[in-house]
Every structure is written in C-alpha cells, then in structure tokens.
Amino acid sequence: MTSTPSPSTPSPGTPPAGTPASTTPSTPRLAAIGIVVADMAAALAFYRRLGLDVPADADRAPHAEAQLPGGLRLMWDTHETARAVDPDWTPPRGGTPTGLAFECAGPANVDAVYAELTAAGYTGEKPPWDAFWGQRYAVVQDPDGHGVDLFAPLP
C-alpha cells in the first residue's frame, strides 16, 4: 500500500517549514575540467586530434580552453601556471594532474561554499582569494584529496 503525501507534507528534498535557508544562495555548477600539462603544444595537438577546437596560438600560451558541448569547458595550464597559482604545487607522482572547477553565482558565493564545505569537515586547500586573472577563487579537497576549484568572476 502506498501513501499519498498530504498537502502539508513537503516533497522529498524539500526542507520542512521553518528550516533556515542554506547559507549558499544557489547551487554551484560544474563549469570546467582543468588539466595541468608539462608541454602545452603536445597536449593540445593530442586533443585537437580528438576533434577539440583550440586555436593554434594557444600552443605557446600558459592557459588554453576549449568549449565542449553543453557549455562545459576543458582547460589546460602549464606547470608554470599551476605554480603561479600555488607556489607549492608539484606534479603528482603516479596519477593524473586533473582538477574539477565549479563556477559559483558570484564572489561572495565562492566564500560561502568554501565555508560550508570546510565547516562540514572537508579540507580547505587554498582559502578564497581574488586571483590575478579576474576571478574569486578557492580550492577545497574532495574526500580522496583531489583539489576542487571554486570560482566566480570578479565584478
């Protein structure tokens, strides 16, 4: 026998009446996947062979991006760029240097999501800061220690 919720019963996933709203004004969305590469030209040549449209002049750039279907972006950064963001960064041993980047609703949302995750016990790798490339940025580790970037454009 199944029961039908009464009009006063919240639907699954809906907090009960009187529950304080989350400190996060909106849900972050996965916007980009980042890969740190030793040789930008070699990496981009490989991905071009897989059909990604990356401009030829990106071969000499410290950062490159390709728009993927559905709005997701694939991004590449050189080792030097990774060290410019985090001077202590070193290439991982025995693994792949790939990261996930979640776009937040705004700079304050980066701070709120970082605070919410670290308050929940996740390890903060780099607290929010205003990055030189024009974004509010932070890095928190997932349960396996993978860095997950949070970002939003600065006004």
Side-chain angles (χ1 to χ4, degrees), residues 27-127:
T27 304
R29 69 174 180 86
L30 179 61
I33 298 170
I35 301 173
V36 178
V37 299
D39 182 333
M40 183 68 80
L44 296 182
F46 172 82
Y47 286 99
R48 285 186 188 108
R49 293 183 69 95
L50 293 172
L52 295 183
D53 183 22
V54 185
D57 63 351
D59 287 357
R60 295 174 303 283
H63 174 85
E65 295 186 14
Q67 190 71 39
L68 303 176
L72 192 63
R73 292 176 291 158
L74 184 54
M75 305 182 305
W76 300 267
D77 289 300
T78 62
H79 286 190
E80 293 76 20
T81 301
R83 284 189 199 101
V85 172
D86 179 359
D88 297 326
W89 182 88
T90 58
R93 298 189 192 277
T96 56
T98 303
L100 298 177
F102 285 81
E103 185 171 9
C104 297
N109 192 237
V110 171
D111 294 20
V113 172
Y114 181 88
E116 186 175 303
L117 290 171
T118 56
Y122 296 101
T123 301
E125 189 172 310
K126 293 207 48 106

